[in-house]
Amino acid sequence: MPEIRITNLKKAFGDLVAIDDLTIDVKDGEYLTILGPTGAGKTTLLRLIAGLTEQTSGSIFIDGECVDDLPPERRKVAFLSQSYSLFPHMDVWENTTFGPIARGWDPEQVEIVGREMLEMVHLYERKDALPRELSGGMQQRNALARALSADAKILLLDEPLRALDARLRLDLRHELKKLSKDMGMTAIHVTHDQEEALTISDRILVLRDGRIIQSGTPKEIFNEPSGPFIHHFVGEANFVSGVLKAVEGDRAVITGDDGQDYHTQATGIKPGSRVVTGIKTEFTLMTKDRWGVDINNFTGQIERILFLGRFSDFEVKLDSGQMIHARLPGYQATKFRAGDRVNIHYSPERMLVFPEPDGGLKKELEMV
Amino acid sequence: MNLREKISNFIAGKKVIKGWYALVIIFFIMLVIVPTLFVLTYAFTGWDEIQDSVMTDPPEIQFTRVQLPANNITFISQDIIDVTQTYSIQVAYETEVEMHLNYTITLLNDGEREIEFQEEVMVNGTGSYTFIARANDTYNYFHHVGDGFHTLTVSNGSGLIETWEEPVTLRSGSDRPWDLVKNALKVSFIIATIVTIIDFTAGLPMAWLMVRKDFRGKKYIDTLIDMPLAIPTAALGFSTAMFWAVTPGLDPYGSLSLTSSPFVLIILLHIVFSYPYMVRSLSAILQEIDINYEIAASTLGAPPLTVARTITLPLFRAGLVTGIILCFARSLSETGGTMAALAMMSPSMGELAYPMKTGPTLIGAWKHAGGFEPQLAFTAMILVIITLILLVIIKIVIMKFKLPLRKVMPGPERLLSKGVFPKMKDALSFLFMFVILIIPSFFIFSFVFTGEPSPVDWDGFWSAMSFSFFVAAVITIINLIFGVPLAIYIVRGTNKMISNILDVLVNVPLIVPTSALGISLGMFWGSMDLGMTTLLVISAHLAFTFPLVVRNVAGAMEELDPTYEETARTLGAKPMFVFRKIVFPSIKFSVLAGAIMAFTRSLGETGATLAVVKDANTVPVYIVGLVKAGDYYPAALACIALIFISFITMMLMRYMTRKAGDG
């Protein structure tokens, strides 16, 4: 069974620690996504599993067998790189059958596997084409067929959709997952695109500075982020630092550093502690008229509007001086102009509370 | 897992691969770098000898009056003879019958006496006879220096009357060897500097033309520029000297006979074979520079000359460094052509008596004369040190030095960018190429077609030819076996520090003058006492051609995206399979180019061969020997045969590399 167990894995390049004491279990047949900002160590992790880089310490087990001393070709792990790396001097057929031939299968079997894989990705008709004659999507499918035909049970995907245009990316996401499930493979998919991670994964690992900061289903990651960073990284959020005043029933009250009271979800944190509370920008309500309820109501002025197509992003300067963002769907966005006075409302059930991070809020939210 | 699989897994195992790389690196260090730099150790082990034989003034010549009782023979004997001067000894006699005077100078060579000079006369009555060894006489000059004896025997019809014998030392010049070295190196460096400056001035417009302009026949011009590279320098020296210089005893149809200064001739010669390197380096980097910068500057109103000077040139430095180092090193290192040219300007003279010497020709002459080991080691040591320092300085100066390029002079530059000036520049570039490069290179054909044929020793030629080919083939094969893995390690190696150091070290044999390299190698292997001429020649040629293969392959490896290899590995391919199916198809043309460059360089090399063993029989050495002896016709035929062979290989290379460019 293709399951992967990684224990206390560490990789340092000189002084720079890329992977810091990682322990991960990937279940058989799971589609796992590693999500993280640029430089989090995602690609390094894949390269370690594939055997392309040697770890500083720690071990990797595939199907219970320690593979630390095995060269890449004996790990039976198919690696699909960002640029696909289709061999430029070989045609689609030669690329696809590279793995079986390299492993010394007999010609009939090579023929069968090559054909099966190319038909599966709808490229059999183009088997004589050279990679440069294919479109981006076809190249991606060719690379996938090549990776799948190599008899590997583990598929490592390094930002496989990055080089494609937006529309194609959406289509191929699902195809990728379906193929890997159909073939009974265990897949690890690396991406920095939170939307991609949320739609495709069985489970997401959020990686930052070489460490796992949260592991969970897409819903858990989105709704119950483990800290301000993930709250912000997976769907943007507005934050306030302050002191937890009281917890009553399913509500808590926080006195923000701006002097205002914020009503939030309940929390297990001890009252009196320094905390951070945040709300995703799409749950930040913005109206021209004053909101009916009394709590979490603020006024401010629209400074800037960013048109994003289906959404618009509003930058609002609250009267307390704080800058916040609100995200409105297109049909509502047309009602507002830069300079308009607006009312902002945070629903308490959407406001998550975290202990204040060690380095302060600003440092916590830094992407790199 | 069956046995075969086990074995192939073992071969592909990390340890085996690491071991193989370690072996390649050890080969490189032990067979290329250490022998190349070995001469530097002489500063520690042989300092006393250097002081004795290089730094101290040679002793004054002592004259003694000799009187032999028989027939009242008197003469003045000297204990030292300077072979660069005409030497004479006047013998006075009084005799009543016919008498034979036999004067002989013998040199000791491994305990054997070898005759260096001998003359016998018959005299009668009272008078004197003068024996003369002229510095400029073909047959009566001294070929060697060293210790020996001079002997005067007096005999008549009935037998020996008397023999006089005293030790004598033949030496070259009355200068301190240190002064000779200093002068030769000064000449070498001045020539290299002038040649590099001319190469750059004439090469830049040509590189520009070849990259930025399109014109009919460009393809042919492109091939013509490379032609001198295909001709062994010994042949080039012969041909160029015939074309430009006053060459006593040789005046082929069409010869210009313009100069009798060896200095000017050597400069003209060195331009011929270094100019292609400059044009190639400059156009390679020019091709890399995005033409959009130039277009942007033009649309902003800058005249072409301003654009070239302020936008393109500053982006140029890397190519400039390569070009300058290559030209400078080539000029500094060249031996065969320079020897041939000097021999033709000063025929019937011993090499040690030539009016001008460069570093490499001094090494050649000393090595040929024999008995100059400390001097040779010292000269080679100085050359190695200076070239290494110079390499660093050139790199630093060009990278750090700010050229005054910011200032814009729209008026004059606009004027110079218009009308007749650019056309003149282009015309001059072509003129330079034809007059300085192409015609002198091929002038040898004029001599062969119009000159007086004389008998040719084809056996000697073919034996030299087969030896040269044997050496070239052996070193090419060894270079491929060890050079390709080393190049891969330099580019792909996991230990960046080791690969960076190797990267720098690889360039060392490329810039160290080959004659210095030969001396160093000779010392290194000589100290091991292998004693085989062929092995010595092969190891010398291996050292200076090795970088050519490594450089070419490393360049191609850098272009190759490592993810191809990594992907292939994850797909189940073992390292050798990846090399065969992925790496080799992508770099094969560079491997081939490197192999052919190594082969032709080995075929054309004189300096290293002569420096390592004085009587090795390669074709260029054979040609230089013929030229020195004044056998011009056979020398020319040998040159032409060598030119044809080199040409075929070069055309092959161009055909292959062009195919690579298309594919």
Side-chain angles (χ1 to χ4, degrees), chain A residues 47 50 52 54 68 71-74 77-79 81 83 85-90 98-99 101-103 146-147 150, chain B residues 1 9 12-14 18 561 563-575 577-578 581-583 585-586 663:
Chain A
R47 293 174 58 83
L52 298 173
E54 218 168 317
D68 294 346
E73 65 270 20
R74 292 178 59 198
V77 165
F79 183 81
S81 75
S83 54
S85 301
L86 288 170
F87 307 131
H89 57 288
M90 297 182 182
F98 182 88
I101 290 174
R103 292 195 195 280
R146 184 179 64 178
Chain B
M1 210 185 279
N9 277 340
K14 279 184 194 168
K18 274 190 180 153
D561 188 344
T563 58
Y564 292 131
E565 294 146 64
E566 293 175 353
T567 308
R569 289 293 293 279
T570 63
L571 292 171
K574 299 199 171 72
F577 191 84
V578 176
K581 294 283 179 174
I582 307 295
V583 178
S586 314

Side-chain angles (χ1 to χ4, degrees), chain A residues 36-54:
Chain A
T38 316
K42 305 182 301 270
T43 302
T44 308
L45 178 60
L46 285 197
R47 293 174 58 83
L48 286 167
I49 298 172
L52 298 173
T53 307
E54 218 168 317

Side-chain angles (χ1 to χ4, degrees), chain B residues 138-424:
Chain B
T138 314
Y139 300 103
N140 264 354
Y141 74 93
F142 295 111
H143 293 266
H144 303 102
V145 292
D147 294 327
F149 298 93
H150 51 162
T151 316
L152 184 72
T153 54
V154 185
S155 57
N156 59 20
S158 56
L160 196 68
I161 300 171
E162 187 153 23
T163 301
W164 167 89
E165 185 168 84
E166 287 268 301
V168 72
T169 303
L170 297 193
R171 75 167 186 221
S172 153
S174 54
D175 295 329
R176 263 191 307 174
W178 167 232
D179 293 325
L180 277 178
V181 173
K182 219 163 53 183
N183 284 333
L185 292 188
K186 206 162 84 187
V187 168
S188 274
F189 279 94
I190 292 174
I191 286 178
T193 309
I194 295 176
V195 165
T196 309
I197 292 170
I198 296 176
D199 279 340
F200 174 67
T201 320
L204 185 58
M206 188 48 106
W208 206 282
L209 264 171
M210 298 314 295
V211 177
R212 291 286 193 253
K213 292 260 173 69
D214 254 318
F215 51 89
R216 249 190 316 155
K218 180 168 160 179
K219 214 168 60 184
Y220 302 104
I221 298 287
D222 199 50
T223 312
L224 276 182
I225 292 176
D226 281 347
M227 288 227 163
L229 291 185
I231 305 176
T233 52
L236 275 182
F238 186 40
S239 187
T240 308
M242 253 193 297
F243 180 67
W244 288 113
V246 180
T247 43
L250 178 72
D251 191 22
Y253 180 77
S255 166
L256 296 182
S257 300
L258 272 181
T259 176
S260 53
S261 149
F263 188 73
V264 174
L265 176 64
I266 300 306
I267 288 177
L268 284 168
L269 165 64
H270 285 199
I271 289 172
V272 175
F273 59 73
S274 60
Y275 178 83
Y277 287 105
M278 183 61 91
V279 176
R280 284 282 158 257
S281 317
L282 292 182
S283 46
I285 199 83
L286 199 57
Q287 225 138 23
E288 300 281 300
I289 295 174
D290 193 346
I291 196 164
N292 285 325
Y293 295 127
E294 288 167 37
I295 293 171
S298 300
T299 57
L300 295 171
L305 184 60
T306 315
V307 174
R309 200 175 52 85
T310 57
I311 306 297
T312 315
L313 275 185
L315 294 170
F316 223 60
R317 290 183 180 184
L320 204 57
V321 176
T322 321
I324 286 179
I325 290 176
L326 280 176
C327 287
F328 203 89
R330 277 298 273 155
S331 167
L332 208 57
S333 153
E334 210 290 318
T335 319
T338 313
M339 271 187 178
L342 290 177
M344 290 173 69
M345 292 192 88
S346 333
S348 39
M349 245 190 234
E351 295 167 85
L352 288 166
Y354 290 166
M356 192 187 87
K357 297 179 193 70
T358 66
T361 60
L362 180 66
I363 289 181
W366 272 345
K367 181 82 188 181
H368 191 214
F372 280 99
E373 271 62 41
Q375 288 90 331
L376 282 170
F378 178 73
T379 316
M381 203 170 75
I382 299 279
L383 265 176
V384 169
I385 293 171
I386 295 182
T387 41
L388 292 182
I389 292 174
L390 218 71
L391 174 76
V392 175
I393 291 178
I394 292 177
K395 275 210 153 161
I396 291 173
V397 165
I398 295 185
M399 291 325 230
K400 295 271 160 73
F401 185 68
K402 285 209 168 49
L403 299 159
L405 293 165
R406 292 282 161 71
K407 206 172 153 213
V408 178
M409 299 167 280
E413 292 196 334
R414 184 154 290 141
L415 183 74
L416 284 174
S417 298
K418 270 196 304 201
V420 72
F421 291 106
K423 287 210 180 76
M424 241 169 67

Side-chain angles (χ1 to χ4, degrees), chain B residues 226-233 277 330 468-469 471-473 475-476 479 541 544-545 548 592-606 620 642-653:
Chain B
D226 281 347
M227 288 227 163
L229 291 185
I231 305 176
T233 52
Y277 287 105
R330 277 298 273 155
S468 274
F469 264 82
V471 170
I475 60 108
T476 306
N479 273 328
H541 283 224
F544 69 82
T545 54
L548 297 172
L592 192 74
I596 293 179
M597 276 166 92
F599 192 88
T600 46
R601 270 292 261 124
S602 162
L603 216 55
E605 175 63 27
T606 320
L642 197 52
I643 289 173
F644 267 117
I645 290 163
S646 305
F647 242 60
I648 291 165
T649 33
M650 196 187 81
M651 283 312 181
L652 205 70
M653 174 162 94

